[in-house]
Amino acid sequence: MIVRKKMKIVSLVFLLVMVFCFPLGGTDQAEATAPDGFVIHADKVVGTLDLGGIIIGVPGGLIGELPIAFLQAKIYGLTLTKLVRTGHGTMVLTIKSNDIVHVNFMNARVTGLDIGGLCFDGIPIIEQCLKDVTLSAVNLTTNNIQIPNMSVETSFDPEEVSQVQSLAESLSQQDLEKEVENLILAIHELENGKEGNEIETFKEVQKDIPKLQEQADQIAILINEAEQQRQQAENQADHLEKEINQGKELIGKPDELKEAVQTLGKQQKNLTIHMERFTVTLQKADEFLQEAKESLEAKEKVVKRVSEILKKWKLAESSGIGKEVADTKRKLHAIGEKVWKSYEIIDKLKIQKQTLNDRIDQMNGSIETLIQNIDKQREQNEEKVLPEKPDNGNESTSTSIESSEGTTETKIRTKKIGMVTTIPIFFAVFM
């Protein structure tokens, strides 16, 4: 009964205002019905907001207007303002209440929306709390409303008219769909905890994309450097192998072989340096690759989970955040292609490195064989050059005798055994 009385009072006030501003008859009444809409501001709204029927991002989903419905709500600091064109000029009609306004099943067709943020009053999950809410609407209906301590003001002040016009214009220029999307995200993040955290994690993924791209580029640079170093090592190995084959042809020529082996040692050292550089660069590229691969896989999982959450929250792929997710997917896919290509190249380089190491081991073995051959030849030459060392107390002599008819060689060897001396003499005469 109280509510109905208050509604009648509100209706009466509006009626008095309309009759006062727009006399019956004439064109003034027609001008008063111009669809300028109205602007509502609330310091805080606590209630059960029904956004279930809104799917953001669907083509044709929002065409200039957004239906917003509160199943029930408490409005704090309500101000409703409407511009009315009259025969006396444009008038500002303002309804205010500094008390709590209660509404049930309130529906509005909103054309502009600005929400300062969420607050934490009301019943968690069941109710939402919005603060500093300003909206423009062309229609507002409610099944039940209580407006205690309501005041109605009218003004023809050009400055007030200009302020209301500027506010309505700024609201109309906002991206209504984006505002509603932000509202939906904020509400779900607050209510769903873990799922809301996934959205925050996704935002971190977006920030990390340039860093991941830089890692992928750095890996490509290291791979290119490793390939050049591998080629240098291959060229050095080819040259060393050629010199080894030439060294093998010098077996039996100790002096020349010794010089060749010294040259091989220098080339062998250069090859070792090339291989060390190649190995270090390849290892560094591999480490960078593993880091990038792990980071990429983690980010792809986050994006996949967020895609599923957006579907659950009825935010289609063409919504603002849906487009961001799709764009992030494309960027990660492009980086992923680089990473997997690098993975294949590094695997190939690892195989080539092992093959080159095996080849170097064989060449080192060949060089060692040449060195052993030099040592062997040196020992043989020393045996030929050095005279026989006599035993203690022994003496040996050798005598050659030549004749004109031939050569007679007499070898006399004297061996002393105690005090006994034997002298065998052998003659060889060639006629």
Side-chain angles (χ1 to χ4, degrees):
M1 182 64 71
I2 295 175
V3 174
R4 290 182 179 178
K5 286 182 179 179
K6 290 182 178 179
M7 288 292 292
K8 288 180 180 179
I9 293 173
V10 173
S11 300
L12 179 60
V13 170
F14 270 111
L15 180 61
L16 290 174
V17 170
M18 296 299 290
V19 170
F20 176 79
C21 297
F22 315 112
L24 296 176
T27 59
D28 291 340
Q29 188 172 8
E31 291 176 1
T33 61
D36 293 330
F38 47 85
V39 176
I40 300 175
H41 176 80
D43 295 335
K44 184 170 63 176
V45 180
V46 180
T48 305
L49 180 63
D50 180 19
L51 287 172
I54 303 173
I55 302 178
I56 303 300
V58 176
L62 295 179
I63 308 178
E65 296 180 7
L66 169 70
I68 291 183
F70 275 95
L71 302 180
Q72 58 81 27
K74 298 185 289 290
I75 304 174
Y76 299 77
L78 173 67
T79 300
L80 186 151
T81 306
K82 180 176 176 62
L83 290 177
V84 182
R85 292 192 293 269
T86 73
H88 305 284
T90 302
M91 178 189 73
V92 178
L93 175 64
T94 305
I95 298 175
K96 291 184 178 180
S97 175
N98 292 325
D99 212 328
I100 302 175
V101 176
H102 294 266
V103 297
N104 287 324
F105 299 103
M106 182 178 71
N107 295 277
R109 293 201 340 254
V110 176
T111 56
L113 181 64
D114 183 21
I115 299 175
L118 300 182
C119 41
F120 303 96
D121 295 354
I123 304 171
I125 306 301
I126 297 175
E127 292 183 321
Q128 292 80 42
C129 181
L130 314 179
K131 64 181 180 180
D132 195 17
V133 179
T134 305
L135 59 86
S136 58
V138 294
N139 180 269
L140 178 66
T141 62
T142 178
N143 287 6
N144 195 314
I145 184 169
Q146 298 178 25
I147 310 179
N149 300 319
M150 182 186 72
S151 65
V152 179
E153 299 176 0
T154 61
S155 173
F156 288 92
D157 186 345
E159 186 175 345
E160 289 187 28
V161 172
S162 178
Q163 289 176 353
V164 175
Q165 286 176 335
S166 296
L167 179 58
E169 186 176 342
S170 65
L171 288 171
S172 65
Q173 291 176 351
Q174 287 184 340
D175 188 339
L176 179 59
E177 185 170 280
K178 187 65 177 177
E179 284 294 319
V180 178
E181 179 182 330
N182 291 337
L183 173 62
I184 293 173
L185 287 173
I187 290 173
H188 283 301
E189 286 175 20
L190 182 64
E191 293 180 350
N192 294 279
K194 184 178 179 181
E195 290 184 349
N197 291 338
E198 290 288 359
I199 302 297
E200 293 301 318
T201 304
F202 169 70
K203 292 177 181 177
E204 293 299 320
V205 168
Q206 287 180 295
K207 293 179 183 178
D208 288 343
I209 291 292
K211 181 180 177 181
L212 185 60
Q213 179 66 59
E214 186 179 347
Q215 279 184 308
D217 293 340
Q218 183 63 33
I219 292 167
I221 292 172
L222 287 170
I223 286 175
N224 184 57
E225 186 178 345
E227 287 183 321
Q228 291 179 359
Q229 291 170 343
R230 181 202 62 79
Q231 187 60 54
Q232 290 171 352
E234 286 275 6
N235 294 340
Q236 186 67 31
D238 291 342
H239 187 64
L240 179 60
E241 190 171 45
K242 181 180 179 180
E243 293 292 331
I244 289 172
N245 291 332
Q246 291 177 354
K248 290 178 180 179
E249 296 175 0
L250 298 176
I251 293 176
K253 302 176 182 179
D255 293 336
E256 295 179 27
L257 180 57
K258 181 179 179 181
E259 185 178 347
V261 167
Q262 288 175 346
T263 302
L264 288 175
K266 294 177 182 178
Q267 295 177 0
Q268 189 180 30
K269 184 177 179 180
N270 291 335
L271 177 56
T272 301
I273 292 173
H274 284 303
M275 281 301 297
E276 286 176 351
R277 290 175 181 171
F278 170 45
T279 301
V280 169
T281 304
L282 182 59
Q283 183 177 356
K284 190 174 181 180
D286 192 31
E287 289 173 356
F288 273 41
L289 177 63
Q290 296 305 320
E291 291 177 8
K293 180 174 173 289
E294 291 175 5
S295 178
L296 176 66
E297 290 174 348
K299 288 173 173 55
E300 287 176 335
K301 288 179 181 179
V302 171
V303 172
K304 182 179 180 181
R305 289 196 298 266
V306 170
S307 296
E308 294 170 354
I309 290 171
L310 294 184
K311 289 179 182 178
K312 179 181 176 181
W313 292 356
K314 297 185 178 181
L315 290 168
E317 289 186 359
S318 55
S319 65
I321 190 169
K323 290 177 181 178
E324 291 178 16
V325 170
D327 183 58
T328 304
K329 278 183 179 178
R330 285 192 295 271
K331 289 179 179 177
L332 289 177
H333 179 72
I335 294 172
E337 287 187 336
K338 279 189 175 182
V339 169
W340 287 112
K341 183 179 179 181
S342 297
Y343 201 93
E344 293 175 357
I345 296 173
I346 286 178
D347 272 354
K348 182 179 178 181
L349 284 172
K350 286 179 179 179
I351 295 172
Q352 290 174 333
K353 175 177 171 290
Q354 184 58 50
T355 302
L356 190 52
N357 277 331
D358 293 342
R359 183 182 174 192
I360 290 172
D361 288 342
Q362 291 178 354
M363 288 190 292
N364 289 340
S366 298
I367 293 172
E368 182 63 29
T369 301
L370 292 177
I371 293 172
Q372 290 174 359
N373 189 276
I374 293 173
D375 292 339
K376 185 178 179 181
Q377 288 184 355
R378 184 187 298 115
E379 290 174 0
Q380 290 176 351
N381 291 337
E382 286 177 353
E383 289 178 358
K384 290 180 180 180
V385 172
L386 292 177
E388 291 185 13
K389 292 182 179 181
D391 293 333
N392 292 335
N394 294 338
E395 296 180 358
S396 63
T397 61
S398 177
T399 303
S400 294
I401 302 173
E402 294 185 359
S403 68
S404 58
E405 296 180 353
T407 300
T408 302
E409 185 177 86
T410 304
K411 291 184 180 180
I412 304 174
R413 288 179 183 162
T414 304
K415 295 183 180 180
K416 293 181 179 180
I417 304 175
M419 297 301 292
V420 179
T421 300
T422 60
I423 305 176
I425 299 175
F426 298 89
F427 296 96
V429 180
F430 299 89
M431 301 300 295

